Amino acid sequence: MMSRSVHRTLAAITVLGAGLAVASVSVAASADQEEKPRPVRASVVGSAEFVLPYHQDKDVRSFTFDARAAPYSRPLPGIPGGLPTDARGTVTVSHYSAERDITYTSKGRVDCLVTGVRTATLTAVITEVSPGGPPDVGKRVGFSVYDGGDGKREGKGEEKGKGEGRSKDRVGFSWNGVNLLPTGATPPEEAPVGTCMAPAPYAPVTKGGYAVAHAELPPPPPSPKGSSGPTGPTRSSSE
């Protein structure tokens, strides 16, 4: 027969083994939660109405985005391999004028996207404008997005932007006085918009919402054997 001391030793070993097993499972579960895979490519999707904080009217303005990163896919002169901010997708701008009782729409082709955590800037070249709209075909315009989360009040289960709580999302855009070139005594003109250039998202969303999937800008792909590989733009020595 085993002595009482041996029984106590075996019982202690059994309890210790069970504790280690539980701890191992807990650590593994915690690691799984911490190591959620990030998106392979950045994106901005969604549709929302917003208001101008500095101008109150009865107009209805909205942006619809379906923009997805496509790094190194748009060769440029001197940059044959493209850029890490290259992107594809569409943008739709809608503006209902209460004064004229008409809705103007513009559509654009996305050419650049860069993201941070819950934030994004993107640009698109306008390809189509509805009758009576501004003569913007061929013009690059910029947008910024802040994804404020689900925009729901506590205790509500509605879909993002459709609950009773006001959305925390915001947008910004490169016209209406935020991208001017002051030139002395003459009235300032709008400055050209470069790729991925837009002001901070200053206009609060009132209906709908956006989802920003952040991904780091990737390094260039491996160069084919014997080629110099894609390179980014360089600054001249005089700058």
Side-chain angles (χ1 to χ4, degrees):
M1 287 181 68
M2 289 186 288
S3 66
R4 290 183 179 180
S5 60
V6 173
H7 277 295
R8 285 196 296 268
T9 301
L10 291 175
I13 292 173
T14 301
V15 171
L16 178 60
L20 289 174
V22 171
S24 299
V25 172
S26 300
V27 170
S30 176
D32 288 342
Q33 292 176 356
E34 292 178 359
E35 296 178 3
K36 290 181 179 179
R38 292 186 176 182
V40 177
R41 294 285 183 262
S43 65
V44 180
V45 296
S47 183
E49 296 177 5
F50 59 92
V51 294
L52 302 178
Y54 53 84
H55 181 68
Q56 304 301 314
D57 57 24
K58 295 183 179 180
D59 290 10
V60 180
R61 302 169 175 85
S62 71
F63 295 149
T64 300
F65 301 126
D66 184 6
R68 302 174 191 278
Y72 306 102
S73 63
R74 302 174 60 85
L76 295 171
I79 316 174
L83 296 169
T85 53
D86 289 344
R88 296 191 179 100
T90 58
V91 167
T92 301
V93 178
S94 176
H95 181 183
Y96 167 74
S97 170
E99 180 182 357
R100 301 179 183 179
D101 191 25
I102 188 172
T103 299
Y104 302 103
T105 59
S106 301
K107 295 182 179 180
R109 183 184 67 252
V110 174
D111 64 358
C112 188
L113 170 67
V114 63
T115 62
V117 177
R118 291 193 172 187
T119 63
T121 60
L122 61 150
T123 47
V125 177
I126 299 300
T127 57
E128 182 182 338
V129 178
S130 65
D136 287 345
V137 173
K139 178 180 179 181
R140 179 180 288 106
V141 291
F143 305 89
S144 60
V145 178
Y146 170 69
D147 178 355
D150 60 14
K152 296 176 292 189
R153 287 181 180 172
E154 292 183 5
K156 300 296 179 181
E158 291 85 358
E159 193 176 323
K160 175 177 178 177
K162 295 182 179 180
E164 294 182 9
R166 181 169 176 169
S167 173
K168 297 179 182 179
D169 294 2
R170 302 176 75 88
V171 292
F173 50 99
S174 63
W175 61 96
N176 267 22
V178 297
N179 184 41
L180 300 179
L181 277 177
T183 54
T186 59
E189 298 181 353
E190 278 195 2
V193 175
T195 56
C196 275
M197 292 292 100
Y202 58 86
V205 163
T206 56
K207 183 180 179 181
Y210 301 106
V212 174
H214 169 56
E216 302 293 349
L217 295 176
S223 303
K225 189 175 182 180
S227 71
S228 58
T231 58
T234 57
R235 298 177 67 89
S236 67
S237 59
S238 61
E239 292 180 335

